Amino acid sequence: MGINNKHAMDYAIDIRDLTVAYREKPVLWDVDLQVPPGVLIAIVGPNGAGKTTLIKSSLGLVKAAAGSVLIHGRPYSEQRANVAYVPQRGSVDWDFPTNVLDVVTMGLYGRLGWFKRPGKAERIEALKSLAQVGMEEFTTRQISQLSGGQQQRVFLARALVQDARVYFMDEPFQGVDAITERAIVDLLQDLRKQGKTVAVVHHDLQTVPEYFDHVMLLNVRRIASGPVEEVFTEENLRTTYGGRVAFVSALSAANRT
Amino acid sequence: MIDLFSDLFNDYTLRTVALGSALLGITAGSLGGFALLRRQSLLGDAISHAALPGIAIAFLITGSKAPLVLILGAGIAGWIGAALISIVTTRTRIKYDSALGIMLSVFFGFGLVLLTYIQRQPDANQAGLNSFLFGQAAALVEQDVFVIFVIGTLVLLFMMVFWKEFKLLSFDSDFIGTLGFPVRLLDHLLTTLFVIAIVIGLQTVGVVLMSAMIIAPGAAARQWTDRLGRMIILAGIFGAISGVGGAITSSLIPALPTGPTIVLIVSIIVMISLLFAPNRGLVFRKIRDWQAGKRLRVDAVLVDLYTLASQHASAEYPHSERVLDVMSTISGPARRTLKVLNDLELAKPIDSTHWSLTPEGVLRAERVIERQFGGGS
Amino acid sequence: MYIGGSVKLNPQSFMYRSAFAFLLVLSACQPSPSSDVAKDVDANNPIKVVVTTSMIADLVSVIGQPFVSVDGLMGPNVDPHLYKASEGDVSLMTGADLVLYSGLHLEGKMVDIFEQMERRGMDVHALSDVLDAEDLRESALFVGNHDPHIWFDVRLWEKVAGRVGEILVSYDPGHAETYRANLEAYLGKMEELNAWIHTEMQRIPEKFRVLVTSHDAFGYFGRAYGIEVRGLQGISTASEAGTADVQELAAFVADRKIPALFVEASISPRGIEAVIAAVRNRGFEVQIGGTLYGDALGSPGTDAENYLGMVRENVRLIVTGLVGN
């Protein structure tokens, strides 16, 4: 690979040449992404840009045609304990017969390994995470009875309980009320302050400058990535979104203020 | 009744058939519960139909009619069917339900062709292959039940050992992958347990009816509880009840085939569960909806009275029904709701057409308004 | 055709209507693939007869030889209740000169095919039609239907043999002599058989005169030769035995201490085995007396390869099993 090991160690997330094809159509093409530790990065792009695929193929959930993913200098497969995943809310059937505490406890199954059942220690951990997202009152609530924002917080707690160094989140703000959104942003920035790295697929361009310090613009290929002030420009956005000028200008105007 | 109960223990046939059917019900019901949650209920139907050619081929190759041999053939064919469905779904554009339908028909049709060919062979009918279509529960003997017991226990044991893995796999198969668990392997394991649960029941209820034993107990159980553990146990219990019930019923009425009777009973259980389960049952939902509607109308008219009165000096200023009818955005005459308000002592009639709020009603109206416009939930 | 009112017989319209009527009649008379007119039959050009069961095949061969070539759709030990005809079978029947079947829904899954062939004017005959209402046994369970296992009463089968002779003679009057001679000879043998059965059956002690089999195939046998008959499944093997049926039969066998039960060559023995297990649990050991030929003849090379041999073999097994020790 020819990566200078010293440089590799500098990045929390180091994705190189990632290519994913679906029936010969490229979904991700030769994508590179280097994210230094302690960064909150948004991944944005139009529909079909491959944002979810980027996460899924990095985590080995989707087969990549080519490319490598290093987490803190080591291949992802060796670093699972240090990586936590928050999937899209819609990827799960919320009518499943289980309660809030149970879902959060599931985040500890990796640590428990085969056959061991979760016990008192796991329960305490789960409750701690629930408190972090403000859901400690809801432990026995059926997940079908939760609002969108509450569901999202449960998913977050499930990731938090893993105590990872790197977090991948897929549209955590989708369909969530304003209060929950604010709470989640605070939580993410808290994580960043602790030196964790958080990569978030984000759908709302308006809030990128406000919530995130880095951003990656993706449309099958990597258009640009890096600190928001440098990368979130009108030109880059136009390249990514295909030149809907008014919309894009309004955005970069908002960005500059 | 007491006779029946003692028969259950003393009469060899009833005891054997009931036990075998109950064991089958428990195994199929429990695993069917997981299948239900994974949206794979119809897969059970496809697998049991796909088992038919396996039975025929097992007989053709070995010439043996030993149940174990035929069950093995059934299991292999069922597994291949499930694997093919998975391959077709992932590698081609064909959707899951189409793939199910295709596999089911192709395998089953092939099985029927083989059976028709076999029926012309001398001595072939000794194997009783045709009885695998609808089962022959009444012909169960102790050895058969022993086999079902051993295999069924193994299956349930595996299910319990891998409980948390199967739970997470069913809930969020992507997430479990990121924790380092081998998703494909777990999926294959669960599918294998599923196939085994299906094929051990084929001699009891047969290929065509087996899907009921897989789907119905789980669907019924889901109606009664929101906890996975309880749901799976309940599914097993429903399966057992159907098995025993079917055996008993067909022992009381001559010429009543046992397999179909078992399926009838489990279907009744499902119907009752769909209609009458608290919370999820249709009947209770209708009642709750109706009650909520009533509360809504009560609140609405209460607030209307208050709003109208607010334009006058007193909050208890009376207004005519007609006005309330017009004001109300909720269809239906206000009179009915006013009567309810009267019963609740929140409003009172001033004369034949005019109504006003009582002091209690005023307080209530204010609280409703506060709740609607004041805080959020 | 009466149209109503006065009809002016216009010569031209009359012509058209006659022509139309003629065409109608012509189209209704579809000639069967083998012509209605009897063909020239001899030993080198035999009558092509397609039959269903092996018993009928045997009968037709004996009576029709050497002027018939018989194709039996159902081989030895094949269950006629469940037999589904294939395309090959249908074309075989369509190309035949004569099609003979048993009837009374014995060939339960072929009823539609026979109806269709009759409608198309083919030479199809249900042999059981020769029997009168008093000859037949009513089915207790399926009201309006009769027990189709007529061949086990040798006297009834003699009537069927006569019918076969009739059909052959009417198809091929040229060889009527041969057919009648064959029939006479065979009837003689059947009378012998009938007498022999009566004698043999006397050997069974009164208390053991019960024939328990896989399905209700021996009703006529029981009625003709004085033995009570009990089947696990009903008259058709398409119905499934229920738990109650197994229980009742087991109770019956244990109470009467019947020495032997019988399985059938064309049916799985699992049902009877379950009965035996239940009987054993009631403290009585009952054996399987043998495998009877219920719905078909035995394989060629065995004693049961023809009708006389098959019946003899059945009776031998029954008597040996029930005489007891």
Side-chain angles (χ1 to χ4, degrees):
Chain A
M1 254 280 114
I3 302 173
N4 186 336
N5 249 5
K6 176 171 176 292
H7 281 221
M9 286 303 279
D10 286 340
Y11 295 120
I13 303 173
D14 191 351
I15 299 174
R16 288 179 196 261
D17 308 326
L18 193 59
T19 302
V20 177
Y22 182 63
R23 298 191 207 284
E24 285 140 44
K25 214 174 51 157
V27 179
L28 282 180
W29 189 261
D30 203 21
V31 172
D32 289 345
L33 178 65
Q34 281 81 44
V35 184
V39 157
L40 191 50
I41 177 169
I43 301 170
V44 299
N47 283 334
K51 309 189 289 293
T52 298
T53 312
L54 179 62
I55 295 190
K56 283 200 173 178
S57 53
S58 301
L59 298 177
L61 301 171
V62 162
K63 198 150 164 54
S68 67
V69 177
L70 298 178
I71 304 291
H72 284 285
R74 306 234 298 280
Y76 166 67
S77 50
E78 295 170 28
Q79 289 278 48
R80 285 184 199 272
N82 278 323
V83 179
Y85 174 44
V86 181
Q88 285 190 17
R89 217 158 24 88
S91 66
V92 146
D93 180 11
W94 290 91
D95 197 32
F96 195 86
T98 182
N99 61 32
V100 164
L101 185 63
D102 212 12
V103 173
V104 177
T105 311
M106 289 182 194
L108 294 165
Y109 283 4
R111 200 184 303 173
L112 283 170
W114 292 101
F115 314 137
K116 266 188 72 183
R117 293 193 184 272
K120 208 168 283 177
E122 283 73 32
R123 185 191 162 85
I124 295 175
E125 289 292 319
L127 284 172
K128 253 196 278 185
S129 297
L130 276 173
Q132 273 183 283
V133 297
M135 291 280 289
E136 66 272 27
E137 302 291 308
F138 290 79
T139 51
T140 54
R141 187 73 61 90
Q142 277 305 116
I143 58 177
S144 56
Q145 294 169 348
L146 298 177
S147 70
Q150 291 167 334
Q151 288 173 349
Q152 195 59 257
R153 285 194 258 173
V154 169
F155 256 13
L156 271 169
R158 185 177 71 169
L160 287 174
V161 85
Q162 296 178 247
D163 203 21
R165 290 174 73 186
V166 174
Y167 292 79
F168 285 93
M169 303 188 184
D170 201 341
E171 304 210 359
F173 300 103
Q174 178 72 271
V176 142
D177 59 276
I179 298 178
T180 304
E181 178 156 335
R182 190 68 248 168
I184 294 178
V185 173
D186 289 343
L187 188 70
L188 296 186
Q189 288 177 343
D190 211 35
L191 285 173
R192 189 197 47 188
K193 273 187 223 127
Q194 295 173 36
K196 320 251 188 195
T197 313
V198 185
V200 178
V201 169
H202 194 57
H203 67 285
D204 183 14
L205 288 176
Q206 297 272 24
T207 47
V208 165
E210 186 190 338
Y211 294 168
F212 298 93
D213 32 52
H214 279 225
V215 65
M216 177 201 196
L217 296 164
L218 179 69
N219 191 349
V220 183
R221 293 171 184 274
R222 168 184 163 277
I223 309 298
S225 66
V228 168
E229 318 81 57
E230 291 166 24
V231 168
F232 205 61
T233 63
E234 178 170 340
E235 191 183 325
N236 278 342
L237 283 166
R238 195 175 297 139
T239 316
T240 313
Y241 282 84
R244 263 113 60 189
V245 181
F247 149 74
V248 159
S249 314
L251 271 168
S252 51
N255 186 22
R256 269 179 258 123
T257 55
Chain B
M1 216 4 96
I2 313 236
D3 267 346
L4 192 62
F5 202 63
S6 80
D7 262 357
L8 199 54
F9 288 99
N10 296 329
D11 180 84
Y12 173 84
T13 307
L14 184 56
R15 184 175 68 217
T16 311
V17 175
L19 193 59
S21 308
L23 288 170
L24 155 72
I26 294 174
T27 319
S30 316
L31 272 127
F34 269 106
L36 184 88
L37 294 173
R38 303 183 77 202
R39 310 284 176 93
Q40 287 184 333
S41 294
L42 280 180
L43 183 63
D45 197 13
I47 290 174
S48 71
H49 280 78
L52 190 63
I55 298 171
I57 292 176
F59 173 74
L60 282 172
I61 294 179
T62 66
S64 154
K65 54 184 160 87
L68 264 177
V69 171
L70 300 179
I71 284 176
L72 193 63
I76 294 174
W79 211 97
I80 294 177
L84 278 178
I85 291 171
S86 181
I87 292 176
V88 164
T89 320
T90 48
R91 303 260 177 102
T92 74
R93 288 183 190 276
I94 297 177
K95 298 265 185 292
Y96 186 63
D97 59 345
S98 310
L100 272 181
I102 294 171
M103 284 309 145
L104 193 156
S105 329
V106 167
F107 271 68
F108 189 62
F110 181 46
L112 284 179
V113 166
L114 286 176
L115 280 191
T116 312
Y117 166 73
I118 287 175
Q119 79 177 343
R120 291 148 198 270
Q121 310 300 316
D123 301 326
N125 287 298
Q126 296 261 19
L129 294 185
N130 273 298
S131 74
F132 275 94
L133 280 174
F134 291 102
Q136 204 183 20
L140 283 176
V141 290
E142 256 170 15
Q143 283 143 286
D144 300 324
V145 174
F146 183 66
V147 168
I148 296 177
F149 174 68
V150 169
I151 299 181
T153 306
L154 276 172
V155 164
L156 289 176
L157 213 70
F158 265 87
M159 189 182 80
M160 288 198 304
V161 164
F162 290 94
W163 181 263
K164 75 171 194 292
E165 287 82 0
F166 287 153
K167 173 158 74 171
L168 185 49
L169 180 73
S170 310
F171 177 58
D172 195 345
S173 55
D174 277 342
F175 184 73
I176 195 178
T178 67
L179 294 180
F181 288 98
V183 180
R184 284 259 302 272
L185 212 68
L186 279 173
D187 186 44
H188 285 327
L189 182 60
L190 191 50
T191 304
T192 305
L193 294 179
F194 195 37
V195 169
I196 296 175
I198 291 172
V199 299
I200 58 173
L202 289 183
Q203 21 168 12
T204 315
V205 291
V207 155
V208 175
L209 298 176
M210 190 62 203
S211 63
M213 298 309 294
I214 284 284
I215 300 176
R222 183 70 187 90
Q223 294 290 99
W224 298 90
T225 177
D226 281 325
R227 300 203 7 200
L228 182 64
R230 291 201 190 151
M231 176 190 156
I232 299 293
I233 291 177
L234 198 56
I237 292 177
F238 282 153
I241 292 177
S242 313
V244 174
I248 292 180
T249 310
S250 88
S251 82
L252 294 174
I253 304 172
L256 192 67
T258 311
T261 311
I262 296 175
V263 170
L264 268 177
I265 292 186
V266 82
S267 307
I268 292 174
I269 294 179
V270 168
M271 293 293 266
I272 295 177
S273 304
L274 286 178
L275 288 174
F276 297 113
N279 270 336
R280 292 174 75 106
L282 281 174
V283 165
F284 282 89
R285 278 223 195 128
K286 272 268 168 283
I287 292 178
R288 263 209 315 273
D289 282 349
W290 179 73
Q291 279 174 341
K294 216 167 70 162
R295 256 198 311 272
L296 201 67
R297 281 191 296 276
V298 163
D299 283 349
V301 172
L302 202 60
V303 169
D304 284 345
L305 274 171
Y306 186 85
T307 316
L308 285 169
S310 65
Q311 297 173 7
H312 301 262
S314 159
E316 296 172 33
Y317 195 92
H319 288 85
S320 86
E321 269 172 36
R322 291 274 182 72
V323 177
L324 286 163
D325 280 336
V326 169
M327 263 193 88
S328 179
T329 48
I330 298 172
S331 61
R335 186 179 192 81
R336 218 183 312 153
T337 317
L338 285 166
K339 287 221 180 110
V340 173
L341 284 169
N342 189 21
D343 289 332
L344 294 169
E345 294 184 1
L346 300 174
K348 58 181 189 274
I350 300 300
D351 57 44
S352 57
T353 52
H354 287 70
W355 296 72
S356 85
L357 289 171
T358 62
E360 180 58 45
V362 171
L363 285 172
R364 266 277 242 185
E366 283 169 350
R367 253 185 290 160
V368 172
I369 293 174
E370 195 188 289
R371 194 169 15 106
Q372 282 180 2
F373 299 103
S377 53
Chain C
M1 201 166 58
Y2 176 65
I3 301 172
S6 62
V7 180
K8 251 189 5 193
L9 221 61
N10 180 341
Q12 253 201 336
S13 85
F14 178 80
M15 235 170 46
Y16 281 136
R17 272 188 278 127
S18 328
F20 181 63
F22 179 69
L23 281 171
L24 208 61
V25 170
L26 206 64
S27 67
C29 289
Q30 267 183 38
S32 55
S34 46
S35 159
D36 277 344
V37 179
K39 61 183 193 184
D40 232 346
V41 178
D42 62 37
N44 293 322
N45 188 18
I47 311 173
K48 284 200 289 231
V49 187
V50 173
V51 305
T52 50
T53 65
S54 41
M55 288 81 74
I56 300 177
D58 182 47
L59 199 58
V60 175
S61 306
V62 164
I63 299 177
Q65 59 168 320
F67 302 117
V68 290
S69 139
V70 183
D71 268 305
L73 294 180
M74 304 175 194
N77 300 330
V78 170
D79 185 342
H81 299 286
L82 302 176
Y83 186 86
K84 290 187 272 273
S86 66
E87 273 309 301
D89 293 340
V90 174
S91 53
L92 197 63
M93 287 190 277
T94 327
D97 298 320
L98 283 175
V99 175
L100 303 179
Y101 65 101
S102 196
L104 295 175
H105 287 265
L106 176 71
E107 302 93 344
K109 311 245 166 176
M110 292 181 63
V111 175
D112 291 332
I113 294 178
F114 293 135
E115 275 176 18
Q116 245 197 29
M117 291 196 294
E118 274 160 17
R119 254 179 291 151
R120 286 170 60 191
M122 284 171 59
D123 221 338
V124 187
H125 303 271
L127 294 177
S128 51
D129 284 348
V130 73
L131 301 173
D132 306 313
E134 307 99 60
D135 290 330
L136 300 173
R137 287 182 73 228
E138 278 254 346
S139 159
L141 215 53
F142 301 101
V143 182
N145 282 307
H146 297 103
D147 181 348
H149 302 89
I150 50 185
W151 54 91
F152 279 127
D153 181 348
V154 180
R155 283 275 161 81
L156 292 184
W157 201 240
E158 287 173 5
K159 286 195 186 177
V160 171
R163 178 78 180 111
V164 171
E166 227 173 70
I167 294 171
L168 287 175
V169 164
S170 92
Y171 185 86
D172 175 26
H175 294 110
E177 289 287 307
T178 320
Y179 302 139
R180 292 210 181 95
N182 289 343
L183 180 62
E184 282 303 312
Y186 197 58
L187 285 176
K189 292 198 189 143
M190 289 172 88
E191 271 300 300
E192 246 179 64
L193 177 66
N194 192 42
W196 178 81
I197 299 176
H198 276 293
T199 328
E200 280 298 298
M201 295 300 286
Q202 294 300 326
R203 292 175 47 203
I204 304 176
E206 189 67 47
K207 55 182 173 160
F208 291 156
R209 285 193 168 216
V210 182
L211 179 58
V212 178
T213 59
S214 298
H215 85 299
D216 256 335
F218 295 90
Y220 290 105
F221 184 82
R223 185 182 67 177
Y225 304 108
I227 184 171
E228 190 183 340
V229 171
R230 292 285 210 109
L232 178 58
Q233 283 173 282
I235 282 183
S236 167
T237 53
S239 64
E240 191 193 314
T243 312
D245 305 316
V246 173
Q247 281 178 308
E248 268 173 34
L249 200 54
F252 178 77
V253 169
D255 282 342
R256 296 276 295 266
K257 303 223 186 312
I258 313 290
L261 308 181
F262 298 87
V263 295
E264 292 175 47
S266 52
I267 298 177
S268 162
R270 275 191 76 216
I272 291 289
E273 282 166 3
V275 173
I276 292 177
V279 170
R280 185 176 302 131
N281 229 261
R282 286 164 184 266
F284 181 63
E285 274 296 328
V286 61
Q287 308 289 342
I288 290 188
T291 307
L292 298 181
Y293 297 90
D295 284 334
L297 297 180
S299 313
T302 62
D303 283 332
E305 66 179 351
N306 59 50
Y307 173 74
L308 298 172
M310 182 263 274
V311 174
R312 227 173 232 127
E313 181 65 14
N314 273 354
V315 174
R316 191 181 66 79
L317 287 170
I318 292 170
V319 172
T320 317
L322 292 179
V323 154
N325 283 315

